[in-house]
Amino acid sequence: DGGITQSPKYLFRKEGQNVTLSCEQNLNHDAMYWYRQDPGQGLRLIYYSQIVNDFQKGDIAEGYSVSREKKESFPLTVTSAQKNPTAFYLCASSMGQGAAYGYTFGSGTRLTVV
Amino acid sequence: KQEVTQIPAALSVPEGENLVLNCSFTDSAIYNLQWFRQDPGKGLTSLLLIQSSQREQTSGRLNASLDKSSGRSTLYIAASQPGDSATYLCAVRGGRSGGSNYKLTFGKGTLLTVNP
């Protein structure tokens, strides 16, 4: 079955560490996205990529970095510059820009700073 | 800047009741609107997508409507069941702000509890 795989499901980060969250899709979708979810704040866009080797900052990109070397993969690195990284991270993809295309989401990674 | 509001924030109903969840958005220049369901600690499951040119979509016991000019959408759930208990999220794609062609803007959700 086609879908989005996020790993790991749970991740613990020590202060000052960089960690990378994995997102892989086999839907042949062009666009991929990273969202952060915090209680009471809803989902906020971190980064998005419309095509391979191109990505754009979202609303809360500071302290995060991404790469898009393959169509199927869009990993997110949470750097030590992100002051409050504890959150639920969701990866999504969509076929393209048309109105008929919706988003498909992965099952998420919960990141906790210890 | 596109803003999405969902009312009510929480709703508790007895099993079998029909119910309506509301969503409003500030910028009517949208491509589409999507309703999602989220169970605790899980990802988002897409329920219905309504394109900007459409008025409603139906899937089983779910019916979503869209009034783009007034910036409103409703999700109607018929004959609710305990398994419908979850958080329901409304999201719109598009708006007049830069880079919005791809971006989904979410409401904060409605937490639905269906009691047996």
Side-chain angles (χ1 to χ4, degrees), chain B residues 18-116:
Chain B
N18 302 327
L19 57 99
V20 174
L21 307 181
N22 296 291
C23 172
S24 61
F25 47 95
T26 55
D27 188 337
S28 62
I30 64 170
Y31 283 78
N32 59 39
L33 182 145
Q34 213 168 346
W35 282 94
F36 294 90
R37 168 187 173 136
Q38 186 175 31
D39 294 291
K42 306 293 186 182
L44 275 62
T45 299
S46 180
L47 298 173
L48 290 164
L49 180 145
I50 310 177
Q51 299 179 50
S52 59
S53 60
Q54 297 174 330
R55 296 284 293 184
E56 66 176 345
Q57 285 288 328
T58 298
S59 176
R61 294 182 294 108
L62 305 179
N63 176 278
S65 68
L66 173 65
D67 184 343
K68 199 174 79 159
S69 61
S70 68
R72 295 177 188 274
S73 175
T74 61
L75 179 66
Y76 175 83
I77 303 177
S80 58
Q81 304 170 358
D84 294 330
S85 298
T87 296
Y88 289 80
L89 295 164
C90 169
V92 297
R93 186 160 70 82
R96 293 182 180 87
S97 59
S100 64
N101 293 353
Y102 283 83
K103 176 184 172 180
L104 269 189
T105 302
F106 284 84
K108 294 184 179 180
T110 294
L111 176 61
L112 174 65
T113 303
V114 181
N115 301 301

Side-chain angles (χ1 to χ4, degrees), chain A residues 27-45:
Chain A
L27 299 166
N28 199 32
H29 284 175
D30 290 319
M32 297 187 73
Y33 316 83
W34 276 105
Y35 279 82
R36 169 179 171 145
Q37 187 176 34
D38 296 279
Q41 290 208 45
L43 280 82
R44 293 178 290 169
L45 181 65

